[in-house]
Amino acid sequence: MGSQGRSGSPGNRGPREGEGGEARKLQEARVARGKRGKGPAGTGHGGRGSGAEGKPGLRPAAGAGPGRAGEEGGGVEEGPRSSGKRDEGSAGPGAGRREDGSPERAQERGCQAWGGPPGTRTAMAAAAEDEAAAAAVEPATRPAAGPALWRLPEELLLLICSYLDMRALGRLAQVCRWLRRFTSCDLLWRRIARASLNSGFTRLGTDLMTSIPVKDRVKVSQNWRLGRCREGILLKWRCSQMPWMQLEGASLYISQANFILAYQFRPDGASLNRRPFRVFAGHDEDVCHFVLANSHIVSAGGDGKIGVHKLHSTFTVKYSAHEQEVNCVDCKGGIIVSGSRDRTAKVWPLASGRLGQCLHTIQTEDRVWSIAISPILSSFVTGTACCGHFSPLRIWDLNSGQLITHLGSDFPPGAGVLDVMYESPSTLLSCGYDTYVRYWDLRTSARKCVMEWEEPHDSTLYCLQTDGNHLLATGSSYYGVVRLWDRRQRACLHAFPLTSTPLSSPVYCLRFTTRHLYAALSYNLHILDFQNP
């Protein structure tokens, strides 16, 4: 008996005709999707396969009867005449093979199996690669299929998701790529960020860090809340100093002896270029304090003089201001106020033609350790040693120099205020020798603070800094301890001792951004990196 012929009667092909047609449809669909391949798998020399055509070069016998004809689309020949080999055009494990069994085709299959050149890839390998490439491309729009909730208008979906907490938004972002992109919207994270520590939002909701995505800031704020950070040292000094520092953009300004050095931060914000790009000099003794204002550096020196330096030029003016060392200085709106050990505070103009002309001299009865101008430029507050007056905090009119009010009435003698800062025109913070941080609200009462936080180890507090919302940082006198406070709680949140017993030093000044905290001690400048703990 010969092998099956290709010219069998259509009526004798039976149900396998439909199977072959289905295989062809599947194969045509693959070709339409861009699957690689020279022709439809399973086609023979004449376009229809049979069981005998699995061997190269064989043609069906001429006398094949219509009763044996039949298997179009390729299959395994039935009955004892089957060769026992799977037809290469059938839809089975060998569905990707071609019926052309020439040596060249076999060589190509061998090259593909052993990692041959890219031109010899099979259709199945190419299909897998195309699917992987398609999966890597994120959809530009929301998915067409899915729950009816995702087909709502985006405004309504934003409103619904705005009620979710941080954990729920994080889980929702894992559903699909479109939701991950949707849940990264700043609007969804603003409410969470305002309740977080040091996320760049003030108490009134003003965003101070618009260039950084809100979601990224919320992630870093969790490190502040949990106290996760990496400690390092940015600068070291050979002799003991009492440094003061300020931040402006990507620059750090820090005083060392009678100089003010300007350093550039590297892009990570956790390291400095070792060489300063500017050096400001002029004082004969150490710089006690300085501020940045109106493109100027206004410095107070131990020589009783005030220095005014242009940030981006060599312009420097120095004039005698007090009889003793100038402990503090502030500058806003073209006005300079200074406080000295000689128990006076003075008001000066910043205008270049009037530098050195004193507008007001105020007798404070005590040495002045700290000073700050109100944001609305109507008054300023002085923090004194609390030896000659019962209150170390007094508010003065900036235009006339007259006393407006004093804050508090239950200070013990010697409870001097070493640092004071306005948070708004009606609220301010103070700290000092009495080991307390006090929060004052002038709208309620000037006689008693509305909130206070006590240093647990009864240490003097040299400096403080706030994010304008919930976070408060303080530097104490022993072992260089930096403390973080959540102003919604009484207890200290975290403490970071930066020195040991032999090199114990106060924290003279500290500043922080949303990612890093910088603390200046006697011998070095420390950093706490909360972005990469």
Side-chain angles (χ1 to χ4, degrees), residues 97-156:
R97 299 175 62 190
R98 300 178 182 276
E99 285 187 354
D100 187 357
S102 61
E104 291 80 9
R105 297 295 182 185
Q107 184 178 3
E108 287 182 5
R109 288 195 297 271
C111 290
Q112 177 64 25
W114 293 98
T120 61
R121 293 177 301 180
T122 62
M124 291 184 67
E129 184 177 306
D130 292 342
E131 290 175 1
V137 178
E138 293 192 2
T141 59
R142 71 173 75 189
L149 182 65
W150 309 139
R151 295 194 291 272
L152 292 174
E154 287 197 8
E155 294 80 2
L156 185 55

Side-chain angles (χ1 to χ4, degrees), residues 339-386:
S340 171
R341 196 182 185 93
D342 64 4
R343 302 184 180 186
T344 63
K346 295 187 178 183
V347 182
W348 313 83
L350 182 61
S352 58
R354 302 178 61 192
L355 284 174
Q357 300 178 13
C358 181
L359 301 178
H360 303 291
T361 299
I362 300 165
Q363 301 296 327
T364 61
E365 305 175 24
D366 274 324
R367 291 167 291 179
V368 183
W369 296 124
S370 57
I371 204 162
I373 301 176
S374 169
I376 58 175
L377 307 178
S378 61
S379 60
F380 67 94
V381 59
T382 57
T384 62
C386 196

Side-chain angles (χ1 to χ4, degrees), residues 290-320:
F290 70 91
V291 293
L292 305 178
N294 300 334
S295 301
H296 292 81
I297 294 181
V298 181
S299 59
D303 53 2
K305 298 179 180 178
I306 292 177
V308 179
H309 318 267
K310 274 279 192 180
L311 282 178
H312 307 294
S313 72
T314 58
F315 172 81
T316 297
V317 173
K318 181 181 67 173
Y319 57 88
S320 296

